[in-house]
Amino acid sequence: MSMVLSRLSLYLALPALLLGLWPDGEPDQYWILLLLGLLWLGQFAALRQRIGTSRWLLIPTGILTLAIIASFLIAEHWVSVDLWQRGLDFLPGHWELFHSRPPILALCMIFGLILNVLLLSRLGLGSPITLLLVAMCGAWLGYRWLTPPPEHASSLNGIPLPMLVALWLLWAAQGLSLFPTLRRYWRRILLPLLVGGLIALLAMVSWQEQRQTDDLRLYALAASEGNRIATLLATETDDHVKAMRRFASFWNMLGHVPTRSEWEQQAKRYHDDFGYFRNIAFIDLDGTVIRVYPLRGNQSNLDLNLYKSYTLARKALDRSLIYGIEGQTGIVDFLQGGRGIINYLPVRNLVDGTLLGAVSMSVSVDTLLNSLLAQTSNRNQAITLSGNGQLYFHYGPLGDLADWRYQQMVEMGTDRLILSVRPSLSWLQAMRSRLPEITLIFGILLAYLLHMVLYIYRRLAHQHRLANQANASLREEIKERERLQQEIEWIASHDELTQLPNRRELMHWMDACEHPLPLAVLICDLDHFKSVNDHFGHLEGDRYLKTIAERCRLPVERAGGMFARYGGEEFVACLPNCDRHMAGKIAESIRRTVAQSGLVLPNDEPVTLSIGVSVTDSLPLQRNRIFQTADDSLYRAKQEGRNRVVLAEPSESTL
């Protein structure tokens, strides 16, 4: 079932990719489409068991993905943004670096999926942690897609929904194919997955915080530039107003309307000091311009009545010519072209205080701001001055600008305008810190490596436990085999019923004796034992045999000999270093032991034992002869009435 769902997910990813071909997409979307298309083909080839084709498709795709990721990590002084841009310029069309690089989380997802296909979804090569990391990146991208973009973003943060869906479907196809293996070995990989996932989560959170901090830093840089320009503007405005007041006070002290030569001589110095003055003029009480400097470019202003021709300045002009106080306009259009502000300063006779006219100075806004901006390094920022629904000034690039700007209110004459600083995308790329992306990539790599270390450690520990269990089982089996071997060897050399050595063990024991002489052999036979089996049964007969064996072996073994079952109701005692006297004594002891055992025959007579004894003291030992002699003695004991000991004569034992 999981394989069917895996195939279905892979097939559904193709329509989602085709939706991403919708026109008017950004260049970064084309990169994602290219990478996702190659990934889909490689994954499809792997599904069809065409591993070679899959690798030919996915290895170059993975290298390309790594190259794009590297562009986020390499320091500006190693490979500059301009160098990256020059590389993109070789591609057909317009590729701007900011919009040509997909979000790094999308690249991490693509590379993780490529890597998992190349690893053939093997548990031992980290497929579970790879898919978990891809899922975490996908969840973060989904969150970014649902939430508004950051206020001061310095990079792309999301991808279109069809591409995100395609990435999730490709992930589902790989995850479902791995699901049976995960279900089987989940206990082994759960802890490594949790640890690796936690490390990756910390890396992503750190990356997010560092990225926001860096965005605020870039905004602060733009704000500081705007504040500096506003400060320069206020300072420069204050300076030229003070200068013009000194200029007006000079004519106050002169006490008459300046002549043309006097005007040009004094106005030239001020005009040279403040190059952004469009002109400096003297206006009589009727509002007519009677003096102007410089004359070039301002001839049309001479003899011009401002009340009739320049109604925008009437209010400011009245303040100087009627009320005798300073007057100032907002930004107005100059009659000779251009825009600026005009300041009017009254001129009066200091002796009698009568008004003589007014001094006017026309300040070109464009020239003023250009002269101020020439003192700053702001070529990568668009600086504008606007207000009243109009754009009065623009400096810097026109396109490829950030979506955000810094704004500050400034005063230009009587107008309150907005000074705006909007950085270019290339400036953002060059100035942004690489640390957040380094934190993210190395955090993900650390999560993968830590998972692999823990997984391998747990796998080796499991194998070690299995080996220990196998060794313990083997040791137990060896012990059991040794026990069985010993039991087999014991059974081969003993009688199972009486627990006595059997005939074979007796023969081995006799051969092993180094100094057996004199050697005595006693053959013992129970008298009338067949009647016991016939009357009491074989079980009772077996009990008789075990009782007799237990009682008879003690005196023999105390004498250093061996008491063995010879067969049926016959027993043999072999006594090394035992002469005839001692052999007869031990045999008699055995006979009495049996007679006093309390065992009875069917006629209530006690069970008795007949014993034939053979003693030899000469080498070499002839076991057959010794046993034959003892057997002959036993036969005589039977013939003589049973329940007796018969010793073979010395001559019989040595024949």
Side-chain angles (χ1 to χ4, degrees):
M1 183 64 181
S2 59
M3 292 304 298
V4 173
L5 293 176
S6 175
R7 292 170 181 264
L8 180 61
S9 299
L10 181 61
Y11 296 148
L12 289 176
L14 184 59
L17 285 175
L18 295 177
L19 286 176
L21 294 175
W22 197 263
D24 300 330
E26 293 292 338
D28 64 294
Q29 298 180 21
Y30 301 140
W31 280 114
I32 297 178
L33 282 173
L34 174 63
L35 297 175
L36 283 178
L38 293 173
L39 170 59
W40 189 91
L41 291 174
Q43 192 166 333
F44 180 77
L47 180 66
R48 295 291 184 178
Q49 300 301 316
R50 298 180 180 178
I51 305 301
T53 304
S54 175
R55 289 177 178 174
W56 276 106
L57 286 168
L58 294 181
I59 290 177
T61 306
I63 294 174
L64 177 59
T65 306
L66 283 178
I68 301 176
I69 292 176
S71 68
F72 285 92
L73 307 180
I74 297 177
E76 175 70 13
H77 63 277
W78 290 356
V79 181
S80 66
V81 170
D82 292 338
L83 186 58
W84 287 110
Q85 185 60 53
R86 284 198 293 271
L88 290 175
D89 290 340
F90 285 103
L91 299 177
H94 176 68
W95 296 87
E96 200 278 322
L97 180 62
F98 185 92
H99 291 105
S100 299
R101 292 192 300 191
I104 193 167
L105 289 178
L107 293 172
C108 290
M109 286 188 71
I110 294 172
F111 183 76
L113 294 172
I114 292 173
L115 184 63
N116 189 54
V117 176
L118 291 175
L119 295 178
L120 302 177
S121 295
R122 293 179 181 174
L123 203 67
L125 295 179
S127 287
I129 187 62
T130 301
L131 292 178
L132 177 61
L133 295 175
V134 170
M136 295 178 69
C137 292
W140 210 280
L141 274 177
Y143 168 75
R144 280 299 182 196
W145 187 84
L146 293 173
T147 57
E151 185 178 0
H152 308 301
S154 59
S155 62
L156 296 178
N157 292 275
I159 59 176
L161 182 60
M163 299 181 188
L164 183 61
V165 171
L167 279 170
W168 274 111
L169 288 172
L170 291 172
W171 175 87
Q174 297 185 19
L176 288 170
S177 65
L178 190 64
F179 179 74
T181 306
L182 294 177
R183 185 172 58 182
R184 182 177 179 183
Y185 297 104
W186 69 270
R187 288 185 180 87
R188 185 185 302 176
I189 65 173
L190 180 59
L191 179 60
L193 275 181
L194 290 177
V195 174
L198 179 61
I199 296 298
L201 179 62
L202 291 176
M204 290 183 181
V205 171
S206 299
W207 165 75
Q208 178 67 19
E209 292 298 322
Q210 292 175 2
R211 185 75 275 150
Q212 290 180 354
T213 301
D214 192 57
D215 289 344
L216 293 176
R217 178 184 66 86
L218 295 176
Y219 177 77
L221 287 177
S224 65
E225 186 68 18
N227 290 332
R228 192 157 71 93
I229 295 172
T231 301
L232 288 174
L233 181 60
T235 301
E236 191 66 24
T237 300
D238 185 63
D239 288 344
H240 77 247
V241 169
K242 289 179 179 178
M244 291 310 299
R245 287 172 180 166
R246 291 193 299 271
F247 181 71
S249 65
F250 173 80
W251 303 115
N252 289 338
M253 291 184 295
L254 190 62
H256 64 266
V257 175
T259 64
R260 178 178 178 181
S261 61
E262 290 175 338
W263 183 257
E264 289 182 354
Q265 182 180 2
Q266 292 298 323
K268 182 178 184 302
R269 293 189 302 169
Y270 286 89
H271 188 273
D272 292 343
D273 290 340
F274 301 95
Y276 47 81
F277 283 174
R278 186 64 178 270
N279 60 62
I280 303 175
F282 186 86
I283 305 168
D284 64 13
L285 294 177
D286 294 333
T288 302
V289 178
I290 60 174
R291 302 285 184 264
V292 65
Y293 184 88
L295 188 60
R296 177 179 295 181
N298 295 291
Q299 295 91 340
S300 59
N301 289 344
L302 278 176
D303 301 326
L304 179 68
N305 189 287
L306 297 180
Y307 282 117
K308 296 179 180 179
S309 304
Y310 213 23
T311 57
L312 294 176
R314 178 185 296 274
K315 185 175 181 180
L317 190 61
D318 285 344
R319 290 173 62 86
S320 296
L321 296 181
I322 297 177
Y323 304 109
I325 57 178
E326 294 181 6
Q328 191 177 47
T329 68
I331 294 183
V332 296
D333 294 325
F334 293 144
L335 295 176
Q336 65 273 34
R339 287 178 174 176
I341 58 175
I342 304 175
N343 294 309
Y344 296 102
L345 288 83
V347 176
R348 63 177 71 242
N349 190 331
L350 290 181
V351 177
D352 55 12
T354 58
L355 285 171
L356 301 176
V359 172
S360 74
M361 52 182 178
S362 301
V363 178
S364 172
V365 174
D366 291 342
T367 307
L368 171 60
L369 289 175
N370 281 319
S371 65
L372 295 179
L373 295 176
Q375 307 173 31
T376 63
S377 55
N378 45 34
R379 298 179 180 177
N380 292 317
Q381 298 179 6
I383 299 170
T384 59
L385 190 66
S386 59
N388 302 321
Q390 298 187 59
L391 177 64
Y392 295 117
F393 176 79
H394 180 92
Y395 177 89
L398 295 174
D400 295 331
L401 300 174
D403 293 333
W404 54 269
R405 67 188 70 199
Y406 170 76
Q407 295 180 336
Q408 181 176 342
M409 299 296 297
V410 295
E411 292 186 359
M412 293 293 292
T414 58
D415 290 338
R416 290 180 60 83
L417 306 178
I418 298 176
L419 178 67
S420 173
V421 178
R422 188 177 178 185
S424 66
L425 298 179
S426 60
W427 181 83
L428 288 178
Q429 296 294 293
M431 297 300 295
R432 70 197 303 267
S433 172
R434 272 60 172 174
L435 180 60
E437 279 69 28
I438 292 175
T439 300
L440 176 65
I441 297 301
F442 280 91
I444 291 176
L445 181 61
L446 178 62
Y448 177 84
L449 294 177
L450 188 58
H451 165 85
M452 291 303 300
V453 169
L454 290 176
Y455 173 77
I456 293 173
Y457 172 79
R458 288 170 64 85
R459 184 175 180 180
L460 291 177
H462 177 70
Q463 293 176 348
H464 182 68
R465 286 194 299 270
L466 293 179
N468 286 339
Q469 292 173 2
N471 290 336
S473 177
L474 182 60
R475 286 192 295 269
E476 290 297 327
E477 184 176 352
I478 292 174
K479 290 180 180 179
E480 182 65 18
R481 286 174 179 265
E482 291 176 351
R483 186 189 66 79
L484 292 174
Q485 182 67 27
Q486 293 173 357
E487 184 176 348
I488 292 172
E489 292 176 356
W490 187 89
I491 292 174
S493 61
H494 288 75
D495 177 60
E496 190 174 358
L497 176 63
T498 61
Q499 307 294 307
L500 292 176
N502 58 16
R503 181 186 300 183
R504 178 184 296 178
E505 180 65 14
L506 177 64
M507 298 304 173
H508 286 308
W509 187 84
M510 291 177 66
D511 292 339
C513 289
E514 295 181 358
H515 304 288
L517 300 180
L519 178 67
V521 174
L522 291 69
I523 297 180
C524 310
D525 187 77
L526 292 173
D527 299 328
H528 305 293
F529 189 72
K530 185 176 183 301
S531 63
V532 173
N533 284 330
D534 293 342
H535 188 272
F536 296 117
H538 286 280
L539 290 178
E540 186 66 12
D542 290 346
R543 187 181 71 83
Y544 276 38
L545 291 174
K546 288 192 289 185
T547 302
I548 291 170
E550 291 172 359
R551 289 175 177 267
C552 294
R553 72 185 302 173
L554 294 178
V556 175
E557 291 177 353
R558 279 198 295 264
M562 176 179 284
F563 190 75
R565 186 180 180 186
Y566 204 63
E569 63 272 16
E570 287 187 342
F571 298 91
V572 176
C574 185
L575 297 166
N577 300 311
C578 182
D579 56 15
R580 285 174 58 81
H581 175 72
M582 182 62 68
K585 187 177 179 180
I586 293 174
E588 188 62 29
S589 174
I590 293 173
R591 187 192 66 79
R592 287 196 302 269
T593 298
V594 173
Q596 297 170 3
S597 64
L599 300 175
V600 296
L601 296 173
N603 57 5
D604 292 332
E605 293 292 328
V607 174
T608 59
L609 189 68
S610 298
I611 303 174
V613 181
S614 174
V615 179
T616 183
D617 56 1
S618 62
L619 294 175
L621 291 176
Q622 297 180 6
R623 290 185 302 183
N624 292 337
R625 181 63 185 168
I626 295 172
F627 276 87
Q628 183 63 45
T629 302
D631 191 60
D632 291 343
S633 298
L634 174 64
Y635 181 76
R636 288 200 299 270
K638 294 283 188 180
Q639 291 293 324
E640 293 175 2
R642 295 182 173 86
N643 190 23
R644 64 188 64 243
V645 177
V646 176
L647 278 73
E649 295 298 328
S651 60
E652 296 176 344
S653 301
T654 57
L655 285 177

